[in-house]
Amino acid sequence: MKILVTGGLGFIGSHVVVELLERDYEVIVIDNLSNSSLEVLEGIHAITGKKPEFEKLDLRDKSDVQDFFKRHAAITGVIHFAASKAVGESVENPLLYYENNLNTLVYLLQELQDLPQAHFIFSSSCTVYGQAEQLPITETAPVQPAASPYGNTKQIGEEIIQDVCNIKPTLQAIALRYFNPIGAHHSSLIGELPLGTPQNLVPYITQTAIGLREQLSVYGDDYPTRDGTAIRDYIHVMDLATAHVVALERLLNHKAATNFETFNIGTGTGSTVLEVVHAFEKATGESLNYKIVARREGDVTAAYAHTAQANDVLGWKAQYSLEESLASAWEWEKKVRSKE
Ligand code: UD1
């Protein structure tokens, strides 16, 4: 079973590659190294004792994509991570996001649609729900107008896949709508490496605790929540990795109810920003310098997953607690900085 992982050296992709190798899948990784490095391959090797096949390839180059599939006819499944994910950057440069996240998807699907059978896992996001009216958020909650070009690429991406699935029963696809992925492999050999100043909460916390940033800004304490700060569903990246393998196996074992399915991937528990700060302090023994500032534009009040579909239909459930996830993020941060 040869599985292609696009963006397989990125944060989530690398953890999925580890899970696949540990379950004895043959893995081929493509990545354009725009937001990752070849060192990740060494981390994967150190954890698993195996090296996935690797090609530096940019999916925006259609002829390279065509050529790749000509050379790799035996691919049985594709897990597609390669995409850009910075919300602010997408507002500044929307066409970069439409090219990076949508052209690439089209080129991949053009190859997959003519195979006798293709299994495809798409990396989507809870961002498609915007501020949902009901919490926890079920998969049937309406998709809201996107707040950013990045969010729009996830919505349009799902629609593109749905449209192709409608006419190609040989294409079997699952979109996983992640809530907030955090943490790192327990070995601290792979993890999240944000470029520049982190935009996401947990890397900002760990960089503050280690002294790279002076203070965490908590964006808003006037939300209608238990302590006034916004609520999210933080999920350990290893739980997320397992979800991808379970979803892939659902397709490989012909268990899918329709040829395009969508699942929320979260823990089902919402935590406020201050709860995350305090859980971090408890899990690590570090005290965190933070201050409350104004809300960040585009943030929703609360988002956490209804997990019944994932638990009962997909057969997957998150295992790690928030504290375990934060402790692993901290161990990773310390490991990365000790090498600098
Ligand atoms: C963000 C993206 C989302 C994307 C996800 C990927 C936005 C609006 N949304 O989700 O589309 O799929 O990342 O991981 O950017 N916070 C602080 N201080 C900080 C950073 C964050 O208080 O320095 C707060 C935020 O206001 C939010 C929570 O922490 O309430 C989580 O923020 P973040 O980690 O950026 O994730 P999202 O905004 O939920």
Side-chain angles (χ1 to χ4, degrees):
M1 291 275 187
K2 192 165 193 172
I3 310 301
L4 169 64
V5 182
T6 76
L9 300 188
F11 172 40
I12 302 171
S14 58
H15 290 80
V16 170
V17 170
V18 164
E19 273 300 293
L20 289 168
L21 291 172
E22 287 189 335
R23 293 178 196 216
D24 286 332
Y25 286 95
E26 199 183 329
V27 179
I28 177 157
V29 169
I30 57 178
D31 200 300
N32 70 359
L33 302 177
S34 62
N35 191 16
S36 59
S37 96
L38 285 174
E39 270 176 52
V40 177
L41 277 177
E42 287 159 33
I44 292 169
H45 183 229
I47 295 169
T48 62
K50 298 176 191 171
K51 268 207 173 135
E53 206 177 322
F54 173 74
E55 277 190 36
K56 181 168 187 273
L57 193 140
D58 196 319
L59 289 170
R60 289 173 298 189
D61 190 323
K62 183 172 173 168
S63 60
D64 281 358
V65 178
Q66 291 170 329
D67 174 64
F68 176 88
F69 277 90
K70 275 194 198 102
R71 287 184 288 111
H72 298 278
I75 286 172
T76 42
V78 178
I79 308 185
H80 178 45
F81 295 104
S84 298
K85 60 172 185 181
V87 175
E89 185 186 41
S90 80
V91 175
E92 301 292 317
N93 197 347
L95 292 177
L96 178 75
Y97 273 65
Y98 291 117
E99 183 183 31
N100 284 359
N101 296 7
L102 295 180
N103 287 16
T104 54
L105 176 64
V106 170
Y107 300 157
L108 267 179
L109 292 174
Q110 280 172 336
E111 299 307 309
L112 298 182
Q113 69 170 354
D114 293 327
L115 296 180
Q117 186 116 71
H119 305 105
F120 187 70
I121 308 290
F122 180 62
S123 177
S124 189
S125 168
C126 68
T127 197
V128 303
Y129 299 116
Q131 180 56 69
E133 269 173 32
Q134 284 188 347
L135 294 165
I137 303 174
T138 64
E139 287 82 352
T140 54
V143 168
Q144 308 257 19
S148 69
Y150 159 76
N152 212 19
T153 65
K154 293 299 173 189
Q155 296 187 4
I156 298 170
E158 288 193 9
E159 288 169 4
I160 290 172
I161 299 165
Q162 177 71 72
D163 289 343
V164 182
C165 283
N166 285 344
I167 51 138
K168 292 280 178 185
T170 50
L171 177 65
Q172 302 270 319
I174 292 179
L176 298 179
R177 291 175 175 166
Y178 318 146
F179 282 67
N180 290 57
I182 61 167
H185 191 266
H186 61 79
S187 64
S188 302
L189 290 163
I190 54 172
E192 188 172 10
L193 272 178
L195 282 179
T197 308
Q199 305 301 310
N200 294 117
L201 178 63
V202 172
Y204 208 103
I205 287 178
T206 56
Q207 290 197 9
T208 305
I210 209 143
L212 274 178
R213 315 273 155 211
E214 202 179 316
Q215 192 171 46
L216 169 75
S217 295
V218 173
Y219 296 135
D221 69 347
D222 57 350
Y223 286 102
T225 62
R226 44 193 178 262
D227 61 20
T229 63
I231 292 178
R232 298 287 184 276
D233 183 339
Y234 296 91
I235 174 167
H236 196 301
V237 65
M238 286 311 297
D239 275 332
L240 198 53
T242 314
H244 286 80
V245 179
V246 172
L248 178 71
E249 290 179 348
R250 180 174 172 82
L251 297 181
L252 295 175
N253 297 326
H254 309 289
K255 295 272 171 56
T258 62
N259 70 331
F260 182 50
E261 294 181 309
T262 306
F263 293 100
N264 285 345
I265 303 297
T267 66
T269 301
S271 305
T272 69
V273 178
L274 289 179
E275 285 166 354
V276 174
V277 167
H278 296 134
F280 177 82
E281 292 182 325
K282 189 163 169 229
T284 64
E286 300 291 319
S287 74
L288 199 74
N289 183 19
Y290 70 89
K291 68 170 177 207
I292 310 287
V293 301
R295 292 182 181 193
R296 178 172 71 179
E297 206 184 325
D299 277 351
V300 298
T301 301
Y304 51 97
H306 200 295
T307 56
Q309 288 294 314
N311 297 167
D312 303 338
V313 179
L314 191 59
W316 164 92
K317 196 172 182 353
Q319 304 292 330
Y320 291 92
S321 69
L322 177 62
E323 283 184 21
E324 287 170 316
S325 304
L326 292 167
S328 72
W330 178 232
E331 291 308 314
W332 164 248
E333 185 73 59
K334 286 191 292 185
K335 179 80 171 275
V336 170
R337 302 308 156 195
S338 71
K339 287 197 281 183
E340 284 179 349

